[in-house]
Amino acid sequence: QVQLVESGGGLVQAGSSLRLSCVVSGAASGRASSVYVVGWFRQAPGKEREFAAAITWPDDSTYYADSVKGRFTISRDNAKNTVYLQMNSLKPEDTAVYYCAGARTLSMLSDRYRYWGQGTQVTVSS
């Protein structure tokens, strides 16, 4: 059973930084893997869930939404089975619940991701 667990959210001021972590467990390695892509999505109150960033395995290609490009960095530590989202220059509009999700193929659409974490709240005050 694939599980993803996020951590690292919190309340920060605009301009600050946060690093979110997503530990992935239960996914087989190599060709048997059910998770080749880990994405970060976010959902603000009253809004739809939106794509923020994704990273692929094994080539570690990265993809970003225009709204976070240049401010957020997604990375992976294979030894720790952990994917990180480094968020710099945070803005109040970045306030949302952030979810990590796993999929077999790359997509920016949330319904393409089969496995989801429980989410972590990020609040950016002005």
Side-chain angles (χ1 to χ4, degrees), residues 8-126:
L11 170 63
V12 297
Q13 291 187 331
S16 299
S17 299
L18 275 177
R19 189 177 77 162
L20 306 183
S21 300
C22 174
V23 178
V24 182
S25 61
S29 60
R31 291 187 176 184
S33 178
S34 53
V35 178
Y36 287 104
V37 181
V38 173
W40 283 98
F41 290 79
R42 63 185 186 180
Q43 188 166 20
K47 295 187 177 181
E48 293 189 353
R49 192 170 297 186
E50 65 174 8
F51 171 81
I55 187 167
T56 61
W57 183 91
D59 57 328
D60 282 351
S61 296
T62 57
Y63 304 86
Y64 299 95
D66 288 342
S67 59
V68 307
K69 197 174 295 182
R71 299 188 299 122
F72 291 11
T73 303
I74 189 170
S75 62
R76 178 202 306 273
D77 184 333
N78 289 329
K80 296 182 179 180
N81 292 325
T82 301
V83 174
Y84 301 102
L85 186 67
Q86 177 67 43
M87 307 185 295
N88 298 330
S89 302
L90 283 163
K91 305 175 182 180
E93 50 264 44
D94 294 318
T95 294
V97 177
Y98 283 71
Y99 300 88
C100 66
R104 288 185 59 86
T105 58
L106 177 66
S107 176
M108 296 184 182
L109 301 176
S110 60
D111 60 4
R112 298 293 193 267
Y113 288 75
R114 179 177 180 181
Y115 306 103
W116 289 85
Q118 81 287 353
T120 185
Q121 176 71 46
V122 172
T123 303
V124 184
S125 63
S126 58

